[in-house]
Amino acid sequence: MIRIELPVSEKDVRKLKVGDEISLHGTIVTARDAAHKLMVEEWPKFVEPLLKNGAIYHCGPVMKKTGKSWKAVAAGPTTSIREEPYEAAVMDHYKVRFIIGKGGMGPKTLKACKDVGAVYLHAIGGAAPLLADTVVRTKAVHLLDELGVPEAFWEFEVDGFKGIVTMDSHGKSLHSALLRKSKKKRDAIIGI
Amino acid sequence: MQKDFLELIRRASCELPADVIRVIKQGRNAEANGSPSRSALDDVIENCDLASRTSRPICQDTGTNIWYVYHPRSVSQMALTRDILAATRKATRLAYLRPNAVDSITGKNSGDNTGPGAPVIHFHEWSRKSLVADLLLKGGGSENVSAQYSLPNGAIGAGRDLEGIRRCVVDAVFNAQGKGCGPGIIGVGVGGDRATSMIEAKEQLFRLVNDKNPDPVLAKLEKTLHAQCNELGIGPMGFGGLTTVMGVKIGARHRLPASFFVSIAYLCWAARRASVSIVGGVATYSQISQQALKYKLPAVAARKGR
């Protein structure tokens, strides 16, 4: 298990390789479908300090408000591939070092990992309370009224958020390797 | 009945059925020590235990809420709908459900999981005195990788026969890769029209994962497909490994001579279903739905009964 403190330098991220198990400490920011569309259309300024050398988490959490503070009740990853049209531009613009989600992403994002110096971190899909318990504090929420709970930008301070690198800055992707392998199997099983 | 429906939602969202946990544990034990897929399933098991102990949603995507309500003649469907909606709103306030119903045109989240088409409720009147509600929470990631084929399909050489159905299922599971939060449970609906074909596929997801289809032809196809989908090697979360699917469940409906649909409803490992039977105001909860009772239950579940 490799321990990473956020924000993190490009140099340190470039050391990471597919298969590395990571434990994250510091701030990660949730952003999913509506947030990505908004970022590439408006390039909001408030995101800049949050994402520079930081981490985007594809997640729409279940949150509970007690008094003035928000608590993450359930916060597993959502499917990342939906952000494929946007992610490369977002990574480049804000200099994001970690994209966290599930299911992996495509060639554009893989190329951005190489160009920007970033990795894709695969969290365990559905492991929602387990990952929520690594959120020690909800630091802030942005655009909650406009986007709603699942789509808002949540700033989470995490301590020991676990994931595995499945796309690295050296052009390697576990997902494309597995796709090629399973396609051969499919063709053999189907008989085409 | 509002109170009982609220408890049903809580159980569905926070407690993974025992039959599913059992199969996940078998899958975990089969994966190699130190492999990412084994570690993923270890986390899944720990997560489910934590969710159940703390009454928190197993997954933050609390999914499409699909209700099947069987009621005596004397019970009003309007009253039942009111109770289900009230329970849904309360479950959202209590964070058993995430606000998950979004206006498709304006993009506005209704905030309470209700709105046109949400939740999904199917009513069936029956001659018994009891009222039974079966609930499935089906996550969006797995819904997105679900698929429908119209046969014949040239690309995969699928004709209008069992071999064609087999090809569709293998192809759909291949296309899903790790995006549906596998190991998944695959519901297959053969025939019907485009809508009822997918409804049949989703009703198959209410079955126990290790039950048996009483139709020997379908039972054989389910067994074959279970093995062949696992041969794909996609594994838990798409990390590679032995368990790509936990089971394949197939149902068929009559079709038009012109149409032959094969619908594949992918259900993520978080196969959240729960049932309640209410007689004389007393609620009894179970993990075995009415749909499941139509099939040959595995020995453990059959002993426990409803």
Side-chain angles (χ1 to χ4, degrees):
Chain A
M1 187 81 69
I2 300 169
R3 183 187 167 99
I4 297 279
E5 311 272 350
L6 292 164
V8 62
S9 71
E10 181 184 340
K11 193 173 139 241
D12 283 348
V13 169
R14 287 200 184 270
K15 289 180 197 155
L16 301 177
K17 290 193 185 67
V18 165
D20 284 347
E21 285 190 61
I22 306 286
S23 130
L24 287 179
H25 305 260
T27 302
I28 65 176
V29 182
T30 71
R32 48 179 293 165
D33 310 76
H36 275 79
K37 186 168 179 289
L38 180 105
M39 281 192 281
V40 298
E41 283 173 0
E42 299 180 16
W43 299 115
K45 286 265 184 226
F46 78 88
V47 195
E48 283 175 9
L50 307 179
L51 294 187
K52 193 172 162 69
N53 295 322
I56 284 181
Y57 183 23
H58 298 153
C59 168
V62 176
M63 301 296 296
K64 206 170 184 178
K65 196 173 189 178
T66 29
K68 276 190 176 170
S69 67
W70 286 97
K71 191 164 170 45
V73 174
T78 190
T79 309
S80 299
I81 194 69
R82 295 192 307 270
E83 316 318 334
E84 178 70 6
Y86 313 111
E87 204 70 271
V90 168
M91 290 162 76
D92 181 53
H93 184 89
Y94 293 112
K95 303 297 173 222
V96 187
R97 302 289 168 216
F98 275 87
I99 302 296
I100 314 165
K102 72 169 173 82
M105 298 187 73
K108 269 177 76 180
T109 305
L110 185 62
K111 185 172 180 301
C113 284
K114 201 172 178 178
D115 294 345
V116 178
V119 295
Y120 178 84
L121 189 71
H122 199 303
I124 301 306
L130 197 66
L131 291 168
D133 284 357
T134 69
V135 178
V136 289
R137 189 162 68 97
T138 304
K139 292 169 74 179
V141 58
H142 306 271
L143 304 182
L144 177 59
D145 291 342
E146 292 84 347
L147 301 179
V149 169
E151 297 270 6
F153 291 85
W154 294 92
E155 268 183 66
F156 288 151
E157 188 182 325
V158 298
D159 187 21
F161 183 103
K162 255 172 56 179
I164 172 165
V165 174
T166 57
M167 294 161 65
D168 63 24
S169 65
H170 313 286
K172 273 196 86 175
S173 163
L174 173 71
H175 309 286
S176 55
L178 210 76
L179 181 69
R180 277 193 303 276
K181 225 166 114 183
S182 59
K183 185 167 186 307
K184 273 193 198 143
K185 288 273 187 195
R186 182 205 69 157
D187 293 352
I189 295 167
I190 289 184
I192 49 174
Chain B
M1 258 157 298
Q2 205 196 109
K3 191 169 64 44
D4 306 321
F5 290 158
L6 177 65
E7 172 61 10
L8 182 67
I9 297 171
R10 190 194 66 78
R11 286 178 183 241
S13 183
C14 310
E15 296 172 7
L16 201 65
D19 60 301
V20 181
I21 295 263
R22 204 173 301 125
V23 175
I24 290 176
K25 285 185 175 164
Q26 286 164 3
R28 187 263 320 263
N29 293 342
E31 300 293 348
N33 268 328
S35 64
S37 46
R38 189 181 175 108
S39 136
L41 291 179
D42 270 332
D43 283 356
V44 162
I45 293 160
E46 190 188 342
N47 181 73
C48 291
D49 182 48
L50 182 63
S52 157
R53 276 190 286 114
T54 56
S55 271
R56 282 190 285 167
I58 292 163
C59 175
Q60 78 290 336
D61 180 5
T62 52
T64 306
N65 291 200
I66 306 172
W67 293 76
Y68 279 83
V69 183
Y70 304 82
H71 63 89
R73 196 173 168 181
S74 56
V75 177
S76 149
Q77 293 188 355
M78 283 195 295
L80 284 170
T81 304
R82 267 199 306 275
D83 283 353
I84 289 174
L85 291 180
T88 300
R89 292 190 180 103
K90 185 148 191 204
T92 312
R93 282 199 300 277
L94 293 171
Y96 301 148
L97 297 175
R98 181 178 71 181
N100 232 14
V102 178
D103 184 314
S104 297
I105 306 303
T106 66
K108 185 88 188 153
N109 193 317
S110 74
D112 65 2
N113 275 303
T114 69
V120 177
I121 311 171
H122 301 270
F123 286 113
H124 294 281
E125 183 183 311
W126 64 8
S127 52
R128 297 183 212 166
K129 287 199 172 64
S130 60
L131 181 139
V132 168
D134 295 333
L135 175 61
L136 173 74
L137 309 186
K138 186 173 186 305
S142 70
E143 186 70 3
N144 288 350
V145 297
S146 295
Q148 189 170 66
Y149 294 78
S150 175
L151 301 190
N153 178 308
I156 52 168
R160 295 181 157 189
D161 49 23
L162 288 174
E163 171 60 12
I165 299 165
R166 184 186 74 84
R167 290 180 177 217
C168 291
V169 175
V170 172
D171 188 56
V173 172
F174 162 75
N175 287 329
Q177 291 291 305
K179 295 183 206 32
C181 271
I185 299 171
I186 311 301
V188 182
V190 179
D193 67 7
R194 285 209 184 258
T196 58
S197 182
M198 189 53 92
I199 287 176
E200 177 63 40
K202 289 192 176 174
E203 288 182 355
Q204 291 297 315
L205 301 176
F206 281 88
R207 288 171 56 184
L208 295 192
V209 67
N210 44 2
D211 71 352
K212 199 169 167 196
N213 201 315
D215 179 327
V217 174
L218 294 181
K220 192 173 164 216
L221 186 58
E222 288 177 0
K223 204 175 158 197
T224 304
L225 278 167
H226 185 186
Q228 291 184 340
C229 290
N230 283 339
E231 276 174 40
L232 288 170
I234 296 163
M237 292 295 136
F239 287 169
L242 302 172
T243 313
T244 300
V245 305
M246 291 191 258
V248 178
K249 308 290 165 191
I250 307 172
R253 294 192 181 191
H254 279 35
R255 59 180 175 86
L256 297 184
S259 307
F260 196 120
F261 298 112
V262 178
S263 299
I264 288 112
Y266 194 113
L267 182 63
C268 53
W269 66 257
R272 291 153 288 174
R273 46 178 159 71
S275 299
V276 63
S277 169
I278 304 168
V279 192
V282 179
T284 312
Y285 297 92
S286 145
Q287 295 176 339
I288 303 176
S289 68
Q290 285 304 305
Q291 186 66 24
L293 289 170
K294 294 181 197 162
Y295 294 82
K296 288 185 194 163
L297 298 182
V300 184
R303 271 203 306 277
K304 282 188 182 166
R306 255 202 98 93

